[in-house]
Amino acid sequence: MDGRSPLRMKLLIVFLLVSTNIVCLHGHNTTGAVAVPHCVTDYLYTITCSLSMAPSDSNFSYWLTFQKRKKKELVCMLKNTDGGYFCSFKRNNTRFNDNESHKISLCYNQKDGSKSCEELVDKYKPVDHIKPNAPCCLTVRHNASQHHFTWNSTYECAPFTNLVDSVKFQLQFYRKGDAQNVATLPVTNLDCSVDDQHFDTDTEYAARVRTSPDQQHYKGEWSDWSPEVYWKTEAAVNDPPPYTFLLGLGKVLIPLFVLVPFTLIFVWAPVKK
């Protein structure tokens, strides 16, 4: 046996231990490693997570735990879906803050009833993983030359967070039923005005809006789109054709040419006598 054999044996033992740990974590019918969960928060009370993990024995239950320092664990029960595992939970009366962090672990019950957990994330900071709630109450008004859009971010009534002042928006409008050909405008306020030249006359349109952290102090991803709103642009107002003007002018002048001579006759004749 050469000098390299002990080293090879050690590497083989390490590989077997790691492989065994992965299989035991996932159950009898599972192979492959667990990916880091994708967890986002609305930065009010709710966390939503998705996790890529090979299918396991249906008798096994899995959940994620969120440990904030040494406080009570928060539990998010995982459901097996077609695209992997999914869970969501809502905290009671405690909003997220800018300084908190969590340790995320994946847990499951073993056959003997004991719990087994593996840490997946050491420091999960909600402030860096925000998916805001979709904006609401989108409205469209039209004045002489512009369409004016307004909406709410849904964070206006959420005290103790500066997120309401640190978000950006995207406004989209398009012909109704044709969401493939859209105009997308970046917006920093809760309203936007668009000139009439961007819209065809006498046409049905749809609009929607979404929001995201501004990626400065608050980071994350785009929200879902708001519900669509619909409206129809006004019909075109065309100038009357030239012959219409001439016809109207003729209706005025012809009676004048007829009435003027008769008027002169009736007025001039008595004067001359």
Side-chain angles (χ1 to χ4, degrees):
M1 181 179 294
D2 57 29
R4 291 175 295 180
S5 296
L7 178 59
R8 290 176 179 173
M9 184 61 68
K10 290 179 181 179
L11 292 175
L12 179 60
I13 292 173
V14 171
F15 173 78
L16 291 174
L17 287 174
V18 172
S19 299
T20 302
N21 182 55
I22 292 173
V23 172
C24 288
L25 177 63
H26 295 173
H28 295 295
N29 300 327
T30 303
T31 58
V34 179
V36 174
H38 177 70
C39 297
V40 293
T41 169
D42 63 358
Y43 218 64
L44 292 175
Y45 304 102
T46 304
I47 287 181
T48 301
C49 297
S50 59
L51 181 65
S52 296
M53 188 169 66
S56 66
D57 192 314
S58 59
N59 295 324
F60 283 77
S61 296
Y62 296 90
W63 64 93
L64 296 175
T65 62
F66 290 76
Q67 181 71 51
K68 181 182 176 183
R69 296 175 184 168
K70 294 185 178 180
K71 294 186 177 181
K72 183 180 178 180
E73 288 183 345
L74 301 174
V75 176
C76 191
M77 295 301 300
L78 290 163
K79 296 180 181 179
N80 193 353
T81 63
D82 293 338
Y85 285 80
F86 171 87
C87 75
S88 181
F89 73 92
K90 187 173 183 179
R91 302 204 306 197
N92 294 324
N93 304 320
T94 305
R95 289 194 177 100
F96 297 100
N97 65 67
D98 294 0
N99 300 315
E100 68 179 277
S101 64
H102 300 259
K103 178 177 69 175
I104 302 178
S105 299
L106 173 65
C107 301
Y108 79 104
N109 283 324
Q110 300 185 92
K111 288 186 175 182
D112 61 3
S114 62
K115 181 178 74 171
S116 179
C117 296
E118 177 182 335
E119 182 179 316
L120 301 180
V121 180
D122 179 42
K123 290 184 179 180
Y124 172 81
K125 295 183 177 181
V127 72
D128 294 331
H129 300 85
I130 301 172
K131 181 178 181 179
N133 293 323
C136 76
C137 315
L138 176 61
T139 60
V140 186
R141 292 183 291 106
H142 182 250
N143 58 23
S145 61
Q146 289 183 321
H147 286 73
H148 189 64
F149 301 85
T150 59
W151 59 86
N152 293 331
S153 72
T154 73
Y155 289 87
E156 290 85 355
C157 298
F160 314 116
T161 176
N162 294 321
L163 180 61
V164 66
D165 300 317
S166 303
V167 292
K168 57 185 179 180
F169 301 92
Q170 279 186 342
L171 173 69
Q172 283 190 345
F173 58 87
Y174 41 89
R175 288 173 178 264
K176 184 178 178 181
D178 185 16
Q180 300 301 315
N181 298 307
V182 303
T184 302
L185 303 178
V187 187
T188 56
N189 301 314
L190 294 172
D191 60 357
C192 180
S193 294
V194 183
D195 293 337
D196 281 354
Q197 65 187 20
H198 295 283
F199 302 90
D200 294 328
T201 58
D202 197 24
T203 302
E204 287 188 293
Y205 277 90
R208 61 186 183 180
V209 65
R210 64 178 180 174
T211 184
S212 165
D214 61 9
Q215 311 303 330
Q216 300 300 315
H217 176 68
Y218 297 97
K219 299 179 175 64
E221 58 191 66
W222 287 104
S223 72
D224 295 329
W225 288 103
S226 70
E228 293 178 323
V229 296
Y230 307 104
W231 78 100
K232 187 174 182 179
T233 55
E234 298 175 0
V237 179
N238 298 319
D239 294 330
Y243 68 83
T244 304
F245 171 76
L246 295 176
L247 182 60
L249 185 62
K251 290 180 178 180
V252 175
L253 293 179
I254 290 174
L256 287 177
F257 286 131
V258 174
L259 290 175
V260 167
F262 283 101
T263 302
L264 290 175
I265 291 173
F266 283 106
V267 173
W268 179 252
V271 171
K272 187 175 181 180
K273 290 180 180 181

